[in-house]
Amino acid sequence: MPLLVSGPVATSTLATEIAPEDLPSIYRAMVVARALDERCLTMQRQGRIGFYVPVMGQEAAQVACAWALEAKDWIFPAYRELGLALVRGVTPEELLDQFFGNAADRLKGRQMPNHYGYRDRNFVSPSSPIGTQITQAVGAAMAARRRNDPIVTIPFFGDGATSSNDFHAGLNFAGVFRTPTIFFCQNNGWAISLPRSRQTAAKTLAEKGAAYGVPGVVVDGNDVHQVFRTVRGARARAIAGDGPTLIEAQVYRLGPHSTSDDPRRYRTDAELAEWKQRDPIGRLKHELVDAGQWSEERDSQLLEEVRADIAGAVQRSESVGAADPLSFLDDVYATRSPALEEQRQQLEGWIQTGLVKL
Amino acid sequence: MPLLVSGPVATSTLATEIAPEDLPSIYRAMVVARALDERCLTMQRQGRIGFYVPVMGQEAAQVACAWALEAKDWIFPAYRELGLALVRGVTPEELLDQFFGNAADRLKGRQMPNHYGYRDRNFVSPSSPIGTQITQAVGAAMAARRRNDPIVTIPFFGDGATSSNDFHAGLNFAGVFRTPTIFFCQNNGWAISLPRSRQTAAKTLAEKGAAYGVPGVVVDGNDVHQVFRTVRGARARAIAGDGPTLIEAQVYRLGPHSTSDDPRRYRTDAELAEWKQRDPIGRLKHELVDAGQWSEERDSQLLEEVRADIAGAVQRSESVGAADPLSFLDDVYATRSPALEEQRQQLEGWIQTGLVKL
Amino acid sequence: MVQAINRALRTAMAADPEVLLLGEDIGVNGGVFRATEGLLKEFGSERVIDTPLSETGIIGTAIGMALYGLKPVAEIQFLDFIYPGFDQIVSELAKFRYRSGGQYPCHVVIRSPYGGGIKGGLYHSQSTEVYFTHTAGLKVVVPSTPADAQGLLLSAIFDPDPVMFLEPKRIYRAVTGEVPEGDHRVPIGKARNVREGHDVSVFAYGAMIPPATDACQSLEAEGISAELIDLRTLSPLDTSAVLGSVEKTGRAVVVHEAARFCGYGAEIAAVLAEKAFYSLKAPVARVTGFDTPFPYALENLYLPNAARIREAIVATVKAA
Amino acid sequence: MVQAINRALRTAMAADPEVLLLGEDIGVNGGVFRATEGLLKEFGSERVIDTPLSETGIIGTAIGMALYGLKPVAEIQFLDFIYPGFDQIVSELAKFRYRSGGQYPCHVVIRSPYGGGIKGGLYHSQSTEVYFTHTAGLKVVVPSTPADAQGLLLSAIFDPDPVMFLEPKRIYRAVTGEVPEGDHRVPIGKARNVREGHDVSVFAYGAMIPPATDACQSLEAEGISAELIDLRTLSPLDTSAVLGSVEKTGRAVVVHEAARFCGYGAEIAAVLAEKAFYSLKAPVARVTGFDTPFPYALENLYLPNAARIREAIVATVKAA
Ligand SMILES: Cc1ncc(C[n+]2csc(CCOP(=O)(O)OP(=O)(O)O)c2C)c(N)n1
Ligand SMILES: Cc1ncc(C[n+]2csc(CCOP(=O)(O)OP(=O)(O)O)c2C)c(N)n1
Ligand SMILES: [Mg+2]
Ligand SMILES: [Mg+2]
């Protein structure tokens, strides 16, 4: 598979391959993601958090992609982007604060779990409607270029999102304005219960790029090297002014769509079993072991360490109090409108008299 | 240029070429369209009609396409489809009634000129928002198939409309459900002031079909034979159950976008002059003359006849009275709601006392 | 209530082969709230159509089917996700009959779960019924009981006009009740008198009916007799039911969970200020959500509850 | 008025290099109403961006620019064509600051010609301001004079919040007047008292100001003193101006051309029925468009005119 369908030689001086000494860190991020997923799925069943969207199975694509970016590049995530967040330095505790929607949550308890955003990590705050971040990322890329900032913007989205209005408009605008944007599609085989084959009659999702004059490329999303290399290539191209790239990373969602979903209703055990064999974590572990960089022993140690870390984070995060009850009336506008001021006073009274309760 | 990018042999028994004896009729329809355009542009300048959208330059593509269809096929037009309407047997007088919005107008004076629809001619009533008819045509095709009606549906739209949400959704649904739909794109080079080259970075509009698993084909829209043949091929394919086709007919808008537009603001005289040379009416006339089927004499005669016809139609149509003043409160629902009943009585009173006037 | 919806769909599909369903995850998955459970098996994939992820496509193709004469019922997974198809609703669906001079009726039903109370945050909780009630050409229906859900949905499917059928998801499972057998329809356009009273009229709909009922009942002991009207059809409004009640009681409280500003309650208050002015003995109170997006962790503070409704009723009755 | 808008854009762009424009046909064509005439030449194609035909794309990319820190001003050719971008407006633009806990302000201005009076039929005439005023997080502004158009647009461009700037196209050229030089701003959130009066308060905005003014003036001779308030900012509403006026006059007439049902006038009437009830001496009258789509040939019957406003004022003043 060629790296890119077209485009001149990259001018970026960033390495095109993962530095071997980085591999254990990449592996660690993937393990943390998996452990946090497992812990959160359990906590949701226990009623300790309200909802959860696991990334399970997509760790390699996300971690390797984020690794290939620079910290100044703007990530426009969807709701399944734990691997990216970890590489951007978001801690499990910060994430858990968001899942609990507690007083320490940067979003002030306003959004459902998994919809976290961190301006200081250039990790934009996502919504739930599918695809909307795609055009936004293109606009941010136009803005960055206007300011001569040598960065790329990179929207993350699923196979289902390729049917959205914003995919169409976003790729088209990017093609016309040649924006420094990398469209990173994680084709995990399913959009809730709809298989990729029924999402579109196109052979691959990457080939949709041609409809917009945007080169498209398919990668094995379970191969950290291929993902890294492809993203670095696309980034160099974008920075050089040669325009956007659409990357389709083929992965598989090993878990449910979310904690509200039961995948046994629509997919077979055999399919799942097949993809479990290609689990990106096992794959990278084997590679590291084969290269003598890793051992079963260190692996158990890591897992233990990570689980303990997460347990500590859960404990701290769960003991943080609830969000300020009046806070949900803030940030509608930069300053409160007279009507909101009045509603806030009203609410304050109701809370005091016990008319409303958490 | 291959007729179709893929697809098995057609099972339809319809001829794949225009019958030579039909050519004069095709030519006549084109001449009528041009004459009506000219007349209406004049009437708009005189303030006799409020607005007009000329088809000028796109007559061959439309007339040949409509000729290739069967009367039972459902046309989903946009606002520039005079050629199609004429082939479907809509008379200049009926059209003029719509332009005047008079009491004889089937739309009861509700829509701007050019937004005509005729259920009995399977010519669906269009709106102004660009592209919306595309998904609707796909839905109608699904319905026709459910009823086992051997027809196709065919949305007409421009180059600009390929950027619309409905283009994306419509082609995608058509690809997934393999609907009997022919997507007929008239690429007339411009979307108001935006040239085709800035509408999308794709090389052709036809190649956008691949993004949806829909074969795409480019035709010279000024060549009635190529258009006819391509549409017949696509139709046969659709009827045989082999799915949709996207046809890009390359034409040129010789007139303004509408009577509100001044194309000299954005395009050069040279470009216009070049395309005037390829005027589809002149081209077909030459072909007919060369084939001995036509002469300059018959041509002048035809033009005179057509103009007289139109003049008569204008006279009759202009003398029809205004739409019933209370009628604009009908057809919101199948039966008037209590609120509308009340508003109607109110309006009646206001008209009687002269409070409101036409 | 969700079973009643399922039954209504099954009944309509069995009765009329031109009724079909389309939407995301409605087939093998049975809908994310299981409203279409079992229907794929019973009626096949030509009539229970799992679509790609595009509300534009769902609503646009449903319109095309309706133009052709079928009776499509589209499901939008959450009302919060309807906006990619909003153009098709307001520009096309609502205006097809009108713009074609009556040639093209367009009887699509759009079903969608809506409203708060399931900890859905900004994007799984909104009540934006006003976008639709303000759009001429649409009918807007909100059931609050299983029997009404079944009866109104059957009416909607066989109605000649487009119907937005908004399902208060919070009471999908919370509210139960008897449901008549078979094709029993509840007329669109008629409010339901939940309880009679003579001191004050309470207007509510959907998931606000249970707390409004609680509030009214609890006031009985204090000698306040509150009439509760479930509007059921938001458009066209049953104006005579609204006016009739207030002419009797002279006082009104309107309840909805949508944001207050330009919310549905404003129309009820306006109708009263216009047409029942001389009957009114007190200000018209609105008990509503706040003028903010819908919050996640604090949703219980956002949503009107029985206590807030009760307080408003008392204040309205006590007003000079 | 359209020149005033052009001047405001030019002033803002000259003052701040981070202000830029995007939309369909706004560049070489200068906008279909010529609001952006000459700006491409003056500021170049990096700041006056002709986009492909996609409102989704225009609004989505404008949001991305604003997140990054620029001040984009998007033009939507007619308000009737905004719906393909509606999802970006209500789900994204209106909620970005809120959902991110204040991290991501999103100061986009969306300018769009709206309203009837140019024989535009269903799709070049609509007044759907309520879709936006009901959406928390958006500001909604409608000027009625050239000076306000300039001053409010400048305020909007430098406002920290998203602003829907709705331009009454019918008076683009019909209404003229003095316009101050330079960066003179009119504050968002403040109504304008067009004429003082003590018998009745008339609330209107946009293209309804001229007929409302005519109606009020013509009643002077009959001894009726009508106060006319131009609301100017529809959201957030200047509630104190509304209440203050009615506390004085005791009577109110609300005028808009949008459909009546759940229209903007309902909110004004509701505020009065709630908070000025004891001042009110007569029913609150609404003079509005009809509950139909917008017709073409008969648009003069659809639109409220001075005579209808006058009649409503007289009836309100005469009401016992
Ligand atoms: C506009 C819109 N429609 C429907 C939904 C409901 N929904 C949530 S996730 C999802 C599937 C998304 O699939 P994909 O893009 O492949 O992402 P994945 O969940 O597989 O990562 C759907 C239909 C939504 N969030 N937004
Ligand atoms: C959704 C929408 N946006 C904008 C417009 C305004 N508008 C009317 S026609 C037009 C250009 C259409 O170009 P194209 O699709 O190429 O058709 P053509 O007019 O060339 O036949 C535009 C932008 C519209 N009608 N609908
Ligand atoms: Mg997926
Ligand atoms: Mg064109």
Side-chain angles (χ1 to χ4, degrees):
Chain A
M1 174 108 17
L3 177 58
L4 287 171
V5 174
S6 72
V9 177
T11 60
S12 166
T13 52
L14 294 175
T16 56
E17 295 292 335
I18 303 176
E21 64 273 23
D22 284 355
L23 279 172
S25 306
I26 287 174
Y27 178 69
R28 186 179 202 283
M30 290 166 59
V31 168
V32 172
R34 183 66 59 95
L36 195 54
D37 258 6
E38 280 165 356
R39 178 76 185 183
C40 288
L41 288 173
T42 305
M43 289 205 299
Q44 195 277 337
R45 273 194 300 274
Q46 296 165 338
R48 289 159 71 189
I49 57 175
F51 176 78
Y52 189 73
V53 181
V55 66
M56 216 162 264
Q58 305 179 205
E59 296 92 344
Q62 291 190 9
V63 172
C65 175
W67 213 270
L69 298 173
E70 295 200 53
K72 63 189 177 189
D73 296 332
W74 274 44
I75 286 175
F76 284 79
Y79 44 72
R80 200 188 296 285
E81 261 64 92
L82 179 55
L84 301 174
L86 293 173
V87 176
R88 278 292 160 102
V90 183
T91 65
E93 193 169 339
E94 285 177 293
L95 294 163
L96 286 157
D97 287 339
Q98 199 274 321
F99 303 162
F100 289 116
N102 65 25
D105 170 20
R106 203 173 287 202
L107 311 185
K108 307 183 187 171
R110 295 206 186 116
Q111 288 235 60
M112 286 178 92
N114 303 81
H115 291 68
Y116 40 80
Y118 303 91
R119 183 154 201 145
D120 52 359
R121 283 85 182 256
N122 295 322
F123 193 93
V124 178
S125 200
S127 64
S128 309
I130 294 293
T132 50
Q133 72 278 25
I134 303 176
T135 47
Q136 292 164 9
V138 173
M142 291 168 83
R145 189 168 53 195
R146 165 123 195 92
R147 286 203 182 154
N148 289 316
D149 292 344
I151 67 150
V152 302
T153 67
I154 174 162
F156 289 80
F157 53 91
D159 43 308
T162 62
S163 296
S164 72
N165 297 339
D166 286 280
F167 176 85
H168 186 54
L171 272 100
N172 196 40
F173 275 52
V176 167
F177 298 114
R178 291 179 77 79
T179 63
T181 308
I182 303 173
F183 297 93
F184 197 88
C185 177
Q186 291 171 73
N187 170 7
N188 64 6
W190 295 89
I192 308 186
S193 70
L194 197 76
R196 154 61 191 89
S197 59
R198 300 228 14 227
Q199 188 66 246
T200 176
K203 276 182 240 77
T204 69
L205 302 176
E207 76 192 43
K208 287 180 183 276
Y212 313 99
V214 173
V217 54
V218 176
V219 299
D220 174 355
N222 288 333
D223 179 343
V224 289
H225 303 285
Q226 204 185 342
V227 172
F228 182 91
R229 198 185 297 137
T230 308
V231 173
R232 276 277 156 99
R235 191 178 184 284
R237 208 173 153 268
I239 296 287
D242 296 320
T245 304
L246 169 62
I247 298 174
E248 174 187 355
Q250 296 183 336
V251 293
Y252 192 79
R253 160 160 69 68
L254 291 173
H257 170 76
S258 74
T259 50
S260 308
D261 178 51
D262 176 6
R264 285 165 308 180
R265 295 179 76 94
Y266 52 80
R267 65 188 191 185
T268 63
D269 290 346
E271 179 182 300
L272 181 62
E274 192 193 316
W275 278 94
K276 272 200 171 148
Q277 303 226 312
R278 299 185 225 162
D279 186 328
I281 295 188
R283 175 165 166 176
L284 185 54
K285 181 173 121 185
H286 277 121
E287 183 188 320
L288 287 171
V289 170
D290 287 353
Q293 285 186 281
W294 202 247
S295 67
E296 283 297 344
E297 208 175 22
R298 282 178 68 184
D299 205 57
S300 323
Q301 212 181 315
L302 172 68
L303 204 61
E304 209 168 297
E305 190 189 306
V306 163
R307 286 192 179 140
D309 261 18
I310 290 174
V314 167
Q315 206 170 32
R316 283 191 303 278
S317 199
E318 216 168 8
S319 67
V320 173
D324 169 11
L326 294 180
S327 68
F328 83 84
L329 286 155
D330 293 335
D331 300 321
V332 182
Y333 301 100
T335 51
R336 241 173 264 139
S337 66
L340 282 166
E341 194 58 67
E342 187 190 316
Q343 291 178 16
R344 193 181 151 98
Q345 277 162 22
Q346 221 164 22
L347 178 65
E348 209 168 350
W350 292 340
I351 292 173
Q352 273 161 14
T353 59
L355 210 64
V356 298
K357 291 186 194 69
L358 261 189
Chain B
M1 174 108 17
L3 179 58
L4 287 171
V5 174
S6 74
V9 178
T11 59
S12 167
T13 52
L14 295 175
T16 56
E17 295 292 334
I18 303 175
E21 63 274 21
D22 284 354
L23 280 172
S25 305
I26 287 174
Y27 179 69
R28 187 180 201 283
M30 290 165 61
V31 168
V32 173
R34 183 67 57 94
L36 196 54
D37 258 7
E38 280 164 356
R39 179 76 185 181
C40 288
L41 287 173
T42 304
M43 290 205 299
Q44 195 276 337
R45 274 194 299 274
Q46 296 165 339
R48 289 158 71 188
I49 57 174
F51 175 78
Y52 189 73
V53 181
V55 66
M56 215 162 266
Q58 306 180 203
E59 297 91 344
Q62 291 190 9
V63 171
C65 175
W67 212 270
L69 298 173
E70 293 200 55
K72 63 189 177 188
D73 296 331
W74 275 43
I75 286 175
F76 284 78
Y79 45 70
R80 200 188 295 285
E81 262 63 91
L82 179 55
L84 301 173
L86 293 172
V87 177
R88 278 293 160 101
V90 183
T91 65
E93 193 169 338
E94 286 177 292
L95 294 164
L96 286 157
D97 287 339
Q98 199 273 321
F99 303 161
F100 289 116
N102 65 25
D105 171 20
R106 202 172 286 204
L107 310 185
K108 307 183 188 171
R110 297 207 184 115
Q111 288 235 59
M112 287 178 93
N114 303 81
H115 291 69
Y116 39 80
Y118 302 92
R119 182 153 202 146
D120 52 0
R121 282 84 181 257
N122 295 323
F123 193 95
V124 178
S125 200
S127 63
S128 309
I130 294 294
T132 50
Q133 71 278 25
I134 302 176
T135 47
Q136 293 164 10
V138 173
M142 290 167 83
R145 189 170 50 195
R146 164 124 195 92
R147 285 203 182 152
N148 288 317
D149 292 343
I151 67 151
V152 301
T153 67
I154 174 163
F156 289 81
F157 53 90
D159 43 308
T162 61
S163 297
S164 72
N165 297 339
D166 286 280
F167 175 86
H168 187 55
L171 271 101
N172 196 41
F173 275 53
V176 167
F177 298 114
R178 291 180 76 81
T179 64
T181 308
I182 303 174
F183 297 93
F184 197 88
C185 177
Q186 293 170 74
N187 170 7
N188 64 5
W190 294 89
I192 310 186
S193 70
L194 197 76
R196 153 62 190 90
S197 59
R198 299 227 15 226
Q199 188 66 244
T200 176
K203 276 183 239 77
T204 69
L205 301 177
E207 75 192 44
K208 287 180 183 276
Y212 313 99
V214 173
V217 55
V218 176
V219 298
D220 174 354
N222 287 332
D223 178 345
V224 289
H225 303 286
Q226 203 185 342
V227 171
F228 182 92
R229 198 184 296 137
T230 308
V231 173
R232 275 276 157 100
R235 191 179 185 284
R237 208 172 153 268
I239 295 288
D242 296 320
T245 305
L246 169 62
I247 298 174
E248 173 187 356
Q250 295 183 336
V251 293
Y252 192 78
R253 161 160 67 70
L254 290 174
H257 171 75
S258 74
T259 50
S260 309
D261 178 49
D262 176 6
R264 286 165 309 180
R265 295 178 75 96
Y266 53 79
R267 64 188 192 185
T268 64
D269 290 346
E271 180 182 300
L272 181 62
E274 191 193 316
W275 279 93
K276 272 201 170 145
Q277 301 225 314
R278 298 185 226 162
D279 185 328
I281 295 189
R283 175 164 165 177
L284 184 53
K285 182 173 120 187
H286 276 121
E287 183 188 321
L288 287 171
V289 170
D290 287 353
Q293 284 186 281
W294 204 247
S295 66
E296 284 297 343
E297 208 174 21
R298 283 176 68 183
D299 206 57
S300 325
Q301 212 179 314
L302 171 68
L303 204 61
E304 209 168 296
E305 190 189 306
V306 164
R307 287 193 178 138
D309 262 19
I310 290 174
V314 167
Q315 207 171 32
R316 285 191 301 277
S317 200
E318 218 168 5
S319 67
V320 173
D324 169 10
L326 294 179
S327 68
F328 83 85
L329 286 157
D330 293 335
D331 299 322
V332 181
Y333 301 100
T335 51
R336 239 172 266 138
S337 66
L340 282 166
E341 194 57 69
E342 187 190 315
Q343 291 178 16
R344 193 182 153 99
Q345 277 162 23
Q346 221 164 21
L347 178 64
E348 211 168 350
W350 292 340
I351 292 173
Q352 273 161 15
T353 59
L355 210 64
V356 298
K357 290 185 195 71
L358 259 188
Chain C
M1 178 184 293
V2 76
Q3 285 98 322
I5 289 163
N6 185 275
R7 269 175 61 169
L9 294 172
R10 178 174 279 116
T11 303
M13 293 179 82
D16 185 342
E18 306 233 309
V19 175
L20 54 76
L21 315 183
L22 70 168
E24 294 158 11
D25 305 296
I26 67 166
V28 54
N29 203 38
V32 298
F33 289 102
R34 309 291 176 245
T36 53
E37 177 93 56
L39 300 180
L40 172 67
K41 216 168 186 174
E42 193 164 338
F43 298 105
S45 64
E46 283 229 343
R47 293 183 66 195
V48 180
I49 305 170
D50 267 326
T51 68
L53 205 168
S54 169
E55 289 72 17
T56 304
I58 293 168
I59 300 171
T61 54
I63 289 172
M65 291 173 184
L67 296 175
Y68 204 81
L70 303 189
K71 298 184 185 73
V73 181
E75 174 176 309
I76 299 298
Q77 208 163 84
F78 286 83
L79 187 61
D80 314 69
F81 303 142
I82 204 166
Y83 306 112
F86 197 68
D87 189 33
Q88 283 287 347
I89 297 175
V90 301
S91 304
E92 304 293 317
L93 183 58
K95 298 181 173 57
F96 237 115
R97 179 190 291 275
Y98 190 80
R99 80 179 190 220
S100 65
Q103 295 181 90
Y104 287 97
C106 200
H107 42 277
V108 173
V109 176
I110 301 181
R111 290 180 43 242
S112 191
Y114 92 113
I118 61 151
K119 283 258 180 173
L122 286 81
Y123 300 106
H124 296 79
S125 307
Q126 294 169 83
S127 297
T128 55
E129 57 270 22
V130 160
Y131 296 161
F132 307 102
T133 57
H134 184 52
T135 305
L138 300 177
K139 292 179 175 172
V140 182
V141 169
V142 182
S144 75
T145 68
D148 275 1
Q150 174 176 291
L152 286 165
L153 183 51
L154 280 164
S155 291
I157 294 172
F158 297 105
D159 194 273
D161 294 309
V163 180
M164 298 293 308
F165 194 85
L166 307 182
E167 303 170 0
K169 62 172 110 67
R170 177 194 196 175
I171 55 172
Y172 261 156
R173 290 189 168 76
V175 170
T176 53
E178 289 294 301
V179 172
E181 286 293 319
D183 187 354
H184 179 84
R185 302 190 192 173
V186 172
I188 290 178
K190 292 276 159 246
R192 178 174 70 97
N193 201 321
V194 180
R195 69 194 309 276
E196 304 234 6
H198 46 78
D199 293 330
V200 56
S201 305
V202 179
F203 300 103
Y205 50 94
M208 290 294 103
I209 295 297
T213 307
D214 288 353
C216 293
Q217 267 163 7
S218 78
L219 286 168
E220 200 79 57
E222 302 185 18
I224 293 177
S225 160
E227 176 146 302
L228 175 58
I229 309 276
D230 178 357
L231 295 170
R232 292 202 296 200
T233 296
L234 303 191
S235 177
L237 170 64
D238 187 351
T239 314
S240 61
V242 173
L243 293 176
S245 180
V246 173
E247 274 155 20
K248 180 173 71 174
T249 63
R251 297 168 196 267
V253 174
V254 194
V255 186
H256 58 67
E257 59 179 274
R260 163 172 312 210
F261 195 71
C262 293
Y264 191 76
E267 179 62 32
I268 303 296
V271 165
L272 295 175
E274 212 164 5
K275 299 197 165 156
F277 182 74
Y278 298 107
S279 305
L280 276 179
K281 289 178 254 170
V284 179
R286 287 188 280 174
V287 182
T288 68
F290 292 81
D291 288 329
T292 70
F294 198 101
Y296 171 70
L298 303 172
E299 83 167 350
N300 286 338
L301 300 182
Y302 181 94
L303 286 168
N305 62 10
R308 279 178 57 195
I309 299 170
R310 194 186 140 98
E311 195 207 30
I313 295 175
V314 171
T316 302
V317 170
K318 294 219 173 122
Chain D
M1 178 183 293
V2 76
Q3 286 97 323
I5 289 163
N6 186 275
R7 269 175 60 170
L9 295 172
R10 179 174 280 114
T11 302
M13 294 179 82
D16 185 341
E18 305 234 309
V19 175
L20 53 76
L21 315 184
L22 70 169
E24 293 158 12
D25 305 296
I26 65 166
V28 53
N29 203 37
V32 299
F33 289 102
R34 309 291 176 244
T36 53
E37 177 93 55
L39 300 179
L40 173 67
K41 217 168 186 175
E42 194 165 336
F43 298 104
S45 64
E46 283 228 343
R47 293 184 65 196
V48 180
I49 304 170
D50 267 327
T51 68
L53 205 168
S54 169
E55 289 73 18
T56 303
I58 293 169
I59 299 170
T61 54
I63 289 172
M65 291 173 184
L67 296 176
Y68 205 81
L70 303 190
K71 299 184 184 73
V73 181
E75 175 176 308
I76 299 298
Q77 207 162 85
F78 285 83
L79 187 61
D80 314 69
F81 302 143
I82 204 165
Y83 306 114
F86 198 68
D87 188 32
Q88 283 287 348
I89 296 176
V90 301
S91 304
E92 305 292 318
L93 183 59
K95 298 181 174 57
F96 238 115
R97 180 190 290 276
Y98 190 80
R99 80 179 189 219
S100 66
Q103 295 182 92
Y104 286 98
C106 200
H107 42 278
V108 172
V109 176
I110 301 181
R111 290 180 42 242
S112 190
Y114 92 113
I118 61 151
K119 283 257 179 176
L122 286 79
Y123 300 106
H124 295 79
S125 307
Q126 293 169 80
S127 296
T128 55
E129 57 271 23
V130 161
Y131 296 161
F132 308 103
T133 57
H134 184 52
T135 306
L138 300 178
K139 291 179 176 172
V140 182
V141 169
V142 181
S144 76
T145 69
D148 274 1
Q150 175 177 291
L152 286 165
L153 183 51
L154 281 164
S155 291
I157 294 172
F158 296 106
D159 195 273
D161 293 310
V163 180
M164 298 294 308
F165 194 84
L166 307 182
E167 302 170 0
K169 64 172 111 67
R170 177 193 196 175
I171 55 172
Y172 260 157
R173 291 188 168 75
V175 170
T176 52
E178 289 294 302
V179 172
E181 285 292 318
D183 187 354
H184 180 85
R185 302 190 192 173
V186 172
I188 290 177
K190 292 275 159 245
R192 178 173 70 97
N193 201 320
V194 181
R195 67 192 313 275
E196 304 236 4
H198 47 78
D199 293 331
V200 56
S201 305
V202 180
F203 300 103
Y205 49 94
M208 289 294 104
I209 295 298
T213 307
D214 289 353
C216 293
Q217 267 163 8
S218 78
L219 286 168
E220 200 78 57
E222 301 185 19
I224 293 177
S225 160
E227 176 146 301
L228 175 58
I229 309 275
D230 177 357
L231 295 170
R232 291 201 296 200
T233 297
L234 303 190
S235 177
L237 170 64
D238 187 352
T239 314
S240 60
V242 172
L243 293 176
S245 179
V246 174
E247 273 155 21
K248 180 174 71 175
T249 63
R251 295 166 198 270
V253 174
V254 194
V255 186
H256 59 67
E257 60 179 275
R260 161 171 313 209
F261 195 71
C262 293
Y264 191 75
E267 179 61 34
I268 303 295
V271 165
L272 295 174
E274 212 165 3
K275 298 197 166 157
F277 182 74
Y278 298 107
S279 306
L280 277 179
K281 290 178 255 170
V284 179
R286 286 188 282 174
V287 182
T288 69
F290 292 82
D291 288 328
T292 70
F294 198 101
Y296 170 70
L298 303 172
E299 82 167 350
N300 287 337
L301 300 181
Y302 180 93
L303 285 169
N305 61 9
R308 279 178 57 195
I309 299 170
R310 194 186 140 99
E311 195 207 30
I313 295 174
V314 172
T316 302
V317 171
K318 294 221 172 120

